[in-house]
């Protein structure tokens, strides 16, 4: 672990998209971010996206900032996944928003169909001002990189979120829908 965002298990850059991905029985542990899917600068409709993702029996644990951080993801299913002890570095540049899972969707997109079944989300983002175990939001407000107003100009929408079973305990906050406040 270091103080940069370069230590990432799976990264999808701003220019890249990904469709039909299965991740079964893997570990994204002891990194800065387990996953990081970037959307910055790709705001308008028809930009790159990550879609049709199936994740099962996989861990996202002991990551410095976040277990999962995605700015573009739609049609995703997570089954029997463990998200534990992420967001441990509150001194990280964005440490106030550390999380286990941060689905922070951006750009003029209608994101939908998220299913989280029997996931264990524990002990994430302790002492982070806005820390949370699991959060999902379609950005339409808030500050954005460079102050361009892109969130408001190109709002994202989120529909069809299902959380079935699982454990969400010991986090700074358990589950949050939308932005803090």
């Amino acid at each position: 672990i270091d103080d940069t965002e370069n230590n990432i298990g799976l990264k999808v850059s701003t220019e890249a998209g990904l469709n039909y991905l299965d991740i079964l029985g893997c570990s994204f542990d002891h990194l800065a971010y387990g996953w990081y899917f970037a959307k910055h600068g790709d705001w308008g409709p028809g930009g790159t996206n990550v879609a049709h993702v199936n994740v099962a029996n996989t861990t996202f644990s002991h990551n410095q900032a976040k277990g999962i951080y995605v700015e573009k993801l739609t049609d995703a299913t997570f089954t029997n996944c463990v998200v534990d002890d992420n967001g441990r570095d509150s001194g990280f540049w964005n440490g106030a928003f550390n999380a286990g899972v941060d689905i922070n969707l951006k750009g003029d997109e209608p994101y939908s169909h998220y299913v989280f079944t029997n996931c264990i989300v524990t002990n994430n983002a302790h002492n982070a001002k806005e820390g949370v175990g699991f959060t999902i939001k379609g950005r339409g407000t808030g500050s954005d990189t460079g102050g361009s107003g892109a969130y408001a100009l190109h709002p994202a929408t989120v529909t069809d979120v299902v959380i079935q079973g699982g454990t969400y305990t010991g986090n700074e906050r358990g589950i949050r829908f939308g932005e803090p406040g």
Side-chain angles (χ1 to χ4, degrees):
I1 295 177
D2 59 29
D3 291 331
T4 70
E5 290 186 337
N6 295 325
N7 195 352
I8 299 167
L10 175 61
K11 180 165 184 170
V12 179
S13 70
T14 57
E15 301 297 319
L18 183 61
N19 285 299
Y20 300 102
L21 173 67
D22 288 330
I23 295 180
L24 310 171
C26 295
S27 297
F28 297 89
D29 303 335
H30 301 282
L31 303 159
Y33 293 84
W35 284 8
Y36 193 122
F37 300 172
K39 182 81 172 171
H40 291 293
D42 185 10
W43 298 104
T48 62
N49 209 344
V50 176
H52 312 291
V53 175
N54 177 42
V55 183
N57 304 314
T58 294
T59 63
F60 301 87
S61 299
H62 312 292
N63 294 297
Q64 184 179 4
K66 299 177 184 190
I68 298 173
Y69 177 72
V70 293
E71 297 176 342
K72 55 185 179 184
L73 176 67
T74 194
D75 192 20
T77 302
F78 293 80
T79 306
N80 299 322
C81 293
V82 174
V83 181
D84 180 59
D85 192 33
N86 296 286
R88 296 178 288 127
D89 184 354
S90 60
F92 203 60
W93 76 271
N94 200 18
F97 297 94
N98 282 349
V101 176
D102 187 351
I103 301 174
N104 185 27
L105 302 167
K106 300 176 179 180
D108 244 338
E109 299 285 341
Y111 298 97
S112 69
H113 188 67
Y114 303 89
V115 179
F116 296 84
T117 304
N118 297 324
C119 293
I120 298 171
V121 180
T122 54
N123 304 313
N124 294 287
H126 286 197
N127 302 313
K129 180 181 177 193
E130 300 297 342
V132 65
F134 174 92
T135 185
I136 188 167
K137 54 200 172 262
R139 296 299 296 270
T141 62
S143 63
D144 56 1
T145 304
S148 65
Y151 294 164
L153 292 173
H154 303 284
T157 59
V158 180
T159 59
D160 193 20
V161 178
V162 176
I163 299 174
Q164 297 175 260
T167 302
Y168 295 78
T169 61
N171 303 289
E172 184 68 24
R173 288 170 189 78
I175 298 171
R176 175 187 285 135
F177 294 100
E179 283 295 297

